[in-house]
């Protein structure tokens, strides 16, 4: 968070490693299996990667998420000849531990900016991923799906004098528990028991 001049180089590197380098490593490690099955790779970005981010996301996060979008587009071209489809989902705010760290007033403000009037659930994002992996998307590659409840793409705006968003304090155990619930929910949607 905050302006570029206040971002430590170590924080910049860490955010790029966690968000962008991890997508590169996942893609690289999965290539052979995807080629053997003529599979589908879906990378997860963010609307921050589409709109340049905000004072809330900070520059490193926005840059990393934009990088994921272009990684998906690049791989769609490079791997298309192998029958591999590569697409990208760009969610807006989602009910996850990342959002839970924000104050209620900040979350309410985000919710009010969404025409559908609600924050996305993990199931909303999982459904988008499942669609890209389905036969209905068999001719889609290099596509970025904006999963934001039609939250408007921000026009360039001055990022300067924004107040620091108020953060809630959570213990690591609480965040871990919420994360496991979200992962379990998405997993049940994508891999239902038979």
């Amino acid at each position: 968070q905050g302006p570029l001049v206040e971002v430590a180089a170590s924080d910049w590197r860490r955010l790029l490693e966690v968000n962008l380098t991890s997508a590169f490593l996942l893609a690289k490690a999965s290539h052979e299996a995807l080629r053997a099955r003529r599979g589908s790779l879906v990378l997860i970005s963010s609307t921050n990667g589409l709109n340049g981010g905000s004072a809330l996301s900070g520059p490193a996060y926005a840059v990393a998420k934009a990088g994921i979008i272009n990684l998906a587009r690049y791989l769609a071209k490079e791997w298309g000849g192998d029958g591999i489809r590569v697409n990208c989902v760009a969610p807006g705010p989602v009910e996850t531990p990342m959002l839970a760290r924000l104050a209620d007033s900040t979350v309410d403000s985000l919710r009010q900016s969404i025409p559908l009037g609600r924050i996305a659930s993990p199931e909303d994002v999982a459904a988008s991923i499942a669609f890209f992996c389905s036969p209905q998307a068999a001719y889609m590659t290099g596509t970025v799906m904006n999963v934001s409840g039609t939250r408007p793409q921000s026009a360039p705006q001055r990022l300067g004098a924004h107040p620091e968003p108020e953060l809630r304090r959570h213990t690591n155990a609480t965040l871990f528990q919420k994360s496991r619930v979200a992962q379990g929910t998405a997993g049940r949607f994508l891999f239902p028991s038979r």
Side-chain angles (χ1 to χ4, degrees):
Q1 294 178 349
L4 181 74
V5 296
E6 294 178 10
V7 176
S10 59
D11 290 337
W12 177 272
R13 283 189 295 273
R14 182 182 55 81
L15 276 164
L16 264 64
E17 286 285 323
V18 167
N19 290 287
L20 181 56
T21 303
S22 62
F24 157 75
L25 293 171
L26 171 72
K28 191 173 178 177
S30 64
H31 179 259
E32 287 305 315
L34 290 168
R35 186 170 64 176
R37 294 179 177 86
R38 300 181 64 81
S40 176
L41 176 65
V42 180
L43 299 176
I44 310 301
S45 180
S46 165
T47 54
N48 287 290
L50 293 169
N51 65 25
S54 67
L56 185 60
S57 71
Y61 184 79
V63 167
K65 293 303 185 176
I68 291 171
I69 290 169
N70 283 302
L71 177 62
R73 289 175 174 158
Y74 174 84
L75 292 176
K77 292 184 230 179
E78 182 180 308
W79 293 359
D82 291 331
I84 301 170
R85 295 179 300 109
V86 183
N87 292 293
C88 187
V89 172
V94 181
E95 293 286 351
T96 64
M98 187 172 172
L99 192 70
R101 68 187 172 88
L102 301 176
D104 290 338
S105 60
T106 304
V107 175
D108 287 342
S109 179
L110 287 170
R111 185 178 293 110
Q112 290 170 12
S113 74
I114 300 170
L116 289 179
R118 68 179 181 84
I119 303 288
S121 69
E123 292 88 353
D124 293 321
V125 178
S128 302
I129 296 165
F131 170 74
F132 271 143
C133 294
S134 74
Q136 288 76 26
Y139 200 65
M140 295 178 78
T141 192
T143 302
V144 179
M145 186 184 300
N146 180 339
V147 184
S148 66
T150 66
R151 185 166 185 248
Q153 295 302 302
S154 298
Q157 51 186 255
R158 187 172 175 272
L159 295 178
H162 291 290
E164 180 80 13
E166 184 184 338
L167 301 178
R168 266 192 231 148
R169 300 288 178 215
H170 285 286
T171 65
N172 287 339
T174 302
L175 289 176
F176 177 76
Q177 180 182 11
K178 288 183 179 184
S179 175
R180 298 298 294 164
V181 168
Q183 290 170 9
T185 301
R188 282 194 305 277
F189 180 83
L190 289 172
F191 308 104
S193 55
R194 296 186 190 257

